[in-house]
């Protein structure tokens, strides 16, 4: 079973700053890793799929990278609406696993 | 644009069976893969089950014995039953779907809150 570990648990930042979120898998995986954003009171929203592809309508300030067991979601310049919880997700043998989430909060 | 709407009982008694429905609009339920995912209060996301109309199903091992996922093409709906519920099953339940490669979820419903309590 693949376990995804996200860090940090909480990231305190200010608007305009760069945010770097990490997702580490318990073993080497392929690049079918996705990232989601969840704002308070809302369902998750797909941001990035296949490690580096932005989903439809996602702003260019969001980017994904990584390979092997280490993946990164970068928000180049935080906007007020970006303060939310972010989850990484991987599918292995038709079973899906999520990381525990990183909360990006206002400093 | 595919839209999803979950519906459920709201409150379920311990040991009873929870039944959830997800109504799909803007697309055919037969053209996508589907899952149920839940989120306990203040917690992260937990995948429960997967189904593809023509390709079988799968479950989280810890819930396999209690969960049943199905698709009703005539109603364009996805459903799930979870038996022998306990307080630990109290959560916001989401239906989610995807297209193309069966790897990630493009579409999410707003979720339906289920509380297990006597």
């Amino acid at each position: 079973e693949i376990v995804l570990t996200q860090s940090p648990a909480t990231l305190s930042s200010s608007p305009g700053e760069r945010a770097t979120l990490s997702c580490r898998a318990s073993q080497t995986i392929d690049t079918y890793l996705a990232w989601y954003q969840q704002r308070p009171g809302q369902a998750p929203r797909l941001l990035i799929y296949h490690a580096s592809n932005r989903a439809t309508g996602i702003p260019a300030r969001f980017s994904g990278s990584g390979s092997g067991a280490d993946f990164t979601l970068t928000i180049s310049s935080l906007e007020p609406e970006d303060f939310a919880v972010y989850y990484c997700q991987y599918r292995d043998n038709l079973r899906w696993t999520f990381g525990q989430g990183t909360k990006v909060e206002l400093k | 644009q595919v839209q999803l709407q979950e519906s459920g009982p709201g409150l379920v008694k311990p040991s009873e069976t929870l039944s959830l429905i997800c109504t799909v609009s803007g697309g055919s339920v037969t053209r996508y893969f589907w899952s149920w995912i839940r989120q306990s209060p203040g917690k992260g996301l937990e995948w429960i089950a997967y189904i593809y109309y023509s390709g079988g199903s799968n479950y989280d091992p810890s819930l396999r014995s209690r969960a049943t996922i199905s698709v009703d093409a005539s109603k364009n709906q996805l459903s799930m039953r979870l038996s022998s519920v306990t307080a630990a099953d109290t959560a916001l339940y989401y239906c989610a779907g995807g297209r193309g490669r069966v790897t990630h979820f493009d579409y999410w419903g707003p979720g339906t809150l289920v509380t297990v309590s006597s």
Side-chain angles (χ1 to χ4, degrees):
Chain A
E1 177 190 352
I2 292 171
V3 176
L4 300 178
T5 301
Q6 293 185 240
S7 61
T10 303
L11 180 63
S12 298
S13 295
S14 300
E17 290 186 340
R18 183 183 188 90
T20 303
L21 286 63
S22 173
C23 178
R24 175 165 289 180
S26 56
Q27 63 190 71
T28 298
I29 60 176
D30 57 34
T31 55
Y32 290 156
L33 187 101
W35 290 93
Y36 300 85
Q37 176 194 66
Q38 188 176 34
R39 295 172 175 151
Q42 295 186 16
R45 176 176 71 142
L46 178 68
L47 296 177
I48 301 289
Y49 64 95
H50 298 175
S52 61
N53 295 275
R54 270 191 305 276
T56 303
I58 301 303
R61 64 180 182 273
F62 291 93
S63 64
S65 63
S67 63
D70 291 304
F71 296 83
T72 299
L73 174 70
T74 301
I75 310 171
S76 60
S77 178
L78 283 164
E79 296 287 339
E81 61 268 28
D82 298 338
F83 292 90
V85 179
Y86 294 83
Y87 294 94
C88 58
Q89 168 256 300
Y90 181 71
R91 182 220 74 185
D92 181 40
N93 292 327
L94 292 180
R95 286 163 35 178
W96 281 258
T97 186
F98 292 89
Q100 82 281 15
T102 290
K103 182 179 182 179
V104 178
E105 66 174 20
L106 195 57
K107 185 185 292 183
Chain B
Q1 174 72 350
V2 173
Q3 292 187 311
L4 310 178
Q5 181 64 57
E6 304 92 342
S7 57
L11 180 65
V12 183
K13 289 182 169 54
S15 81
E16 292 188 342
T17 295
L18 163 65
S19 294
L20 300 172
I21 290 174
C22 175
T23 300
V24 180
S25 59
S28 172
V29 73
T30 64
R31 294 188 60 191
Y32 304 89
F33 73 92
W34 305 102
S35 276
W36 286 95
I37 295 162
R38 68 183 181 182
Q39 187 169 35
S40 300
K43 301 296 185 182
L45 301 167
E46 179 186 19
W47 173 76
I48 302 169
Y50 148 90
I51 193 167
Y52 188 65
Y53 182 69
S54 59
S57 60
N58 200 13
Y59 299 88
D60 180 272
S62 68
L63 295 168
R64 180 184 302 273
S65 63
R66 298 194 293 127
T68 304
I69 190 172
S70 60
V71 166
D72 187 334
S74 67
K75 296 181 179 179
N76 220 35
Q77 290 179 336
L78 167 73
S79 63
M80 184 182 72
R81 290 168 57 87
L82 187 65
S83 64
S84 304
V85 298
T86 70
D89 295 310
T90 293
L92 186 59
Y93 286 77
Y94 294 104
C95 63
R99 56 176 188 258
R101 289 181 176 176
V102 182
T103 58
H104 56 272
F105 302 106
D106 300 277
Y107 313 112
W108 293 72
T112 185
L113 181 62
V114 175
T115 301
V116 179
S117 175
S118 55

